[in-house]
Amino acid sequence: MRAELLAVGDELLYGDIVNGNAAWLGGQLADVGVQVSTSIVVGDVIADIATAIVAALGRADAVVLTGGLGPTQDDLTREGIAQAAGVGLHRDAAEEATLRRRFEEMGRSRAGSGGRGVPEMNFRQADLPVGAQALPNVPGTAPGIRMEIGSGVVYAMPGVPFEMKDMFTRSVLPDILRRAGEPAVVVHRVLRTAGMWESMVAEALADEVTRLEPLGNPRIAFLASGGQTRVRITARAADRLAAQELIAPVEAAARVALGPGLYGVDDDSLEKVVLDLLGARGATLAVAESMTGGLLAGRLTDVPGASAVLRGGVVAYATEVKSSALGVDPAILETVGAVSPETAVAMAAGVRERLGATYGLATTGVAGPDEQEGKPVGTLHVGLAGPDGATTRTVRLPGDRRRVREFAVVQALDVLRRVLTGVAAAGDFGPWVPTGPR
């Protein structure tokens, strides 16, 4: 079965709201074997909505539409569906009664209405294209619409995410599955990497991708975001066990190819993996941040139970604070500067000592928009100090200020992960410097 996604709303076109609904719906449909071929956005114009629906039904079996079902003058999805079907609108008495009851239950039939009851405009939500069926909106007021047009079907849902998700799960998805018949089971396996750019991951798996191309099942996709690259292996089969058996040899080959870059699977997060590694060793961590300004500590404390491992952190943003708060030798700052491997190691050793942690992890660099100390934007030095020694990683990160800082957190966590697991590859780090035990 093929489906297309259609989002309605000027606010989406103008960038006031990001269309997160499409991402969620695409994943939900893919998981049940429905092929999503196109996802588009149109504004609040009846003719544009109708044209988009007709065009989508010319290519797909179903159109899954979000937005434009509210009570105001710019909510025009109902009219757009009616025009696409060549029918008019009618006021559905049952939906009107349901709306009236819902408003009374919420107290909205009195408050702000001057004692006149529910404003008439609210009942526009009970208008349906002739021949359409209403879809219940349990958490909200605007009913959805299911409308058969020719050999296809249109499902219209509210744009409010929690209302849309409830309606899709409760009404739309079961109807899609009924129309599609018994779909093949679709199973995904996600391998998560750090310290490898997307091109490096793709190159490592090039032979396996080439081998699978003529088969078409399983398939490999590369998903890069936040400084990490995920490898998604997808298989379709008659049942879940058969799909997992198709995935198993591909996953095994990918694990070998990715080597030390692989840190987890499926829902694993890099920060949780690192905290678990430290916890299993009875070790603790302290962080010192310049370039990342607290983002590293924030990522770690997002994980429940982080307090069992994380001792604390110091944001030493100003150069002099690196010396006064972390004990970085002023001679280092004067000779090689705040943005240097030497400073990163000294920050890590300082925070480790001051907070009494097993490991100290530090970041210093240039997030932008301007260079610093003659160092280009994107320069990052990670310092790590532990009971067996200290080391650094130096990289040049791409992107704007926000992305550089986000990527820097991943690089820092990856340094610690590789040292803890002993999977560091040649050339990963700078010289190993002996440190005192803790």
Side-chain angles (χ1 to χ4, degrees), residues 120-180:
E120 179 62 26
M121 184 172 291
N122 284 98
F123 292 110
R124 291 186 67 244
Q125 296 174 119
D127 291 342
L128 298 177
V130 174
Q133 296 81 44
L135 301 176
N137 186 343
V138 174
T141 59
I145 296 171
R146 180 179 62 232
M147 179 77 182
E148 296 188 6
I149 301 177
S151 59
V153 59
V154 177
Y155 304 97
M157 298 178 290
V160 180
F162 75 91
E163 295 182 21
M164 179 276 295
K165 291 178 181 179
D166 182 87
M167 187 178 294
F168 178 83
T169 303
R170 189 185 301 272
S171 301
V172 174
L173 183 58
D175 194 64
I176 286 176
L177 294 177
R178 178 184 63 81
R179 292 171 184 270

Side-chain angles (χ1 to χ4, degrees), residues 382-395:
V382 176
L384 175 65
D388 299 323
T391 190
T392 60
R393 172 186 278 177
T394 296
V395 293

Side-chain angles (χ1 to χ4, degrees), residues 92-316:
D92 187 284
E95 289 304 314
E96 182 176 2
T98 298
L99 284 169
R100 194 177 300 278
R101 184 177 65 255
R102 293 292 299 276
F103 289 136
E104 289 174 353
E105 291 171 351
M106 295 185 293
R108 288 171 57 183
S109 62
R110 295 177 295 278
S113 62
R116 299 188 304 275
V118 181
E120 179 62 26
M121 184 172 291
N122 284 98
F123 292 110
R124 291 186 67 244
Q125 296 174 119
D127 291 342
L128 298 177
V130 174
Q133 296 81 44
L135 301 176
N137 186 343
V138 174
T141 59
I145 296 171
R146 180 179 62 232
M147 179 77 182
E148 296 188 6
I149 301 177
S151 59
V153 59
V154 177
Y155 304 97
M157 298 178 290
V160 180
F162 75 91
E163 295 182 21
M164 179 276 295
K165 291 178 181 179
D166 182 87
M167 187 178 294
F168 178 83
T169 303
R170 189 185 301 272
S171 301
V172 174
L173 183 58
D175 194 64
I176 286 176
L177 294 177
R178 178 184 63 81
R179 292 171 184 270
E182 289 297 327
V185 172
V186 179
V187 176
H188 303 292
R189 182 66 160 173
V190 177
L191 306 182
R192 294 179 173 269
T193 71
M196 299 177 71
W197 301 117
E198 183 180 17
S199 58
M200 297 171 61
V201 174
E203 183 177 356
L205 294 177
D207 290 344
E208 191 66 8
V209 171
T210 300
R211 183 183 73 82
L212 294 175
E213 276 180 354
L215 303 176
N217 186 34
R219 299 175 62 182
I220 293 178
F222 303 101
L223 312 167
S225 64
Q228 303 182 44
T229 301
R230 292 167 290 155
V231 178
R232 186 179 64 203
I233 307 168
T234 303
R236 294 170 55 100
D239 55 59
R240 186 171 187 83
L241 179 59
Q244 290 172 334
E245 289 175 348
L246 288 172
I247 287 174
V250 181
E251 179 181 351
R255 284 177 174 273
V256 172
L258 295 172
L262 177 66
Y263 76 79
V265 298
D266 296 335
D267 295 329
D268 289 340
S269 70
L270 182 56
E271 50 269 33
K272 175 116 180 7
V273 167
V274 167
L275 289 170
D276 287 346
L277 288 169
L278 289 165
R281 289 162 173 75
T284 56
L285 175 67
V287 297
E289 303 183 61
S290 179
M291 175 190 196
T292 49
L295 291 179
L296 176 56
R299 279 280 289 271
L300 290 165
T301 54
D302 277 343
V303 179
S307 58
V309 170
L310 183 65
R311 295 280 296 166
V314 174
V315 177

Side-chain angles (χ1 to χ4, degrees), residues 304-435:
S307 58
V309 170
L310 183 65
R311 295 280 296 166
V314 174
V315 177
Y317 211 61
T319 298
E320 62 270 19
V321 176
K322 294 175 176 61
S323 178
S324 61
L326 296 173
V328 177
D329 188 342
I332 292 176
L333 298 171
E334 292 172 5
T335 56
V336 296
V339 182
S340 64
E342 294 85 353
T343 296
V345 166
M347 290 171 63
V351 78
R352 173 177 179 256
E353 176 66 29
R354 280 160 170 71
L355 299 190
T358 314
Y359 291 92
L361 185 62
T363 61
T364 184
V366 185
D370 302 315
E371 65 176 29
Q372 180 181 340
E373 300 177 350
K375 313 291 175 54
V377 173
T379 300
L380 167 69
H381 300 290
V382 176
L384 175 65
D388 299 323
T391 190
T392 60
R393 172 186 278 177
T394 296
V395 293
R396 178 81 179 275
L397 301 173
D400 58 13
R401 182 178 176 84
R402 180 185 65 81
R403 291 181 184 275
V404 165
R405 297 170 76 229
E406 181 181 6
F407 292 178
V409 170
V410 173
Q411 291 288 328
L413 290 172
D414 187 53
V415 167
L416 179 54
R417 174 189 71 88
R418 291 181 185 239
V419 167
L420 290 172
T421 55
V423 299
D428 273 350
F429 306 124
W432 193 260
V433 180
T435 61

